[in-house]
Amino acid sequence: MNKVIFACVHNAGRSLMAEAFFNVMVDPQKARAVSAGTQPGDQAHPEVLAAMREIGIELPDVKPRLLTDDLAQDAQWLITLGCGEACPQVPGLRREDWPLDDPKGKSEVLVHRIRDELAARVAGLLEREGWMRAG
């Protein structure tokens, strides 16, 4: 089973959306995703929850969490989300950085743009790795 970690600083926006898209689109026999942050926030950004709800993905119990060694120990991938120097490093994992703006406090139009870009990038990763859910 492949495990992908989506990480940013606060785990309250981009990484939560990426995790949700991944786990909706993936073949669950091939991979799964988790998200975490180096300095987790207290809660998910409300504008992110609203944007995901608009496309039918509810995240009612989501809570930002800390990226720990235990969380990363059985992962193969770390995908960071545009946090620059503050992005976490986990030695030994395949790594990509997707440079996307933090949706916190952004207009609805910009939050939708970030959400849709994440969906497209997640779909591209799943297709490239052969992990896309059939049908």
Side-chain angles (χ1 to χ4, degrees), residues 21-44:
F21 281 127
F22 189 100
N23 288 327
V24 165
M25 291 186 240
V26 72
D27 177 339
Q29 303 301 312
K30 294 182 178 177
R32 68 185 178 95
V34 297
S35 66
T38 53
Q39 300 168 15
D42 294 328
Q43 64 186 24

Side-chain angles (χ1 to χ4, degrees), residues 43-118:
Q43 64 186 24
H45 301 319
E47 55 271 268
V48 166
L49 299 177
M52 295 300 280
R53 187 176 310 114
E54 288 172 18
I55 60 167
I57 298 177
E58 292 287 340
L59 302 172
D61 301 321
V62 73
K63 182 162 175 41
R65 72 175 133 191
L66 182 64
L67 177 59
T68 63
D69 289 341
D70 283 346
L71 185 70
Q73 84 179 33
D74 58 345
Q76 290 74 38
W77 277 89
L78 174 66
I79 297 178
T80 54
L81 296 156
C83 39
E85 293 298 314
C87 277
Q89 297 286 332
V90 180
L93 300 186
R94 290 176 68 184
R95 186 161 184 266
E96 282 187 20
D97 184 61
W98 298 351
L100 298 166
D101 289 337
D102 185 346
K104 182 179 182 181
K106 299 279 193 292
S107 71
E108 186 175 307
V109 169
L110 289 176
V111 173
H112 288 179
R113 190 174 298 150
I114 295 163
R115 177 198 66 198
D116 297 346
E117 175 72 15
L118 277 167

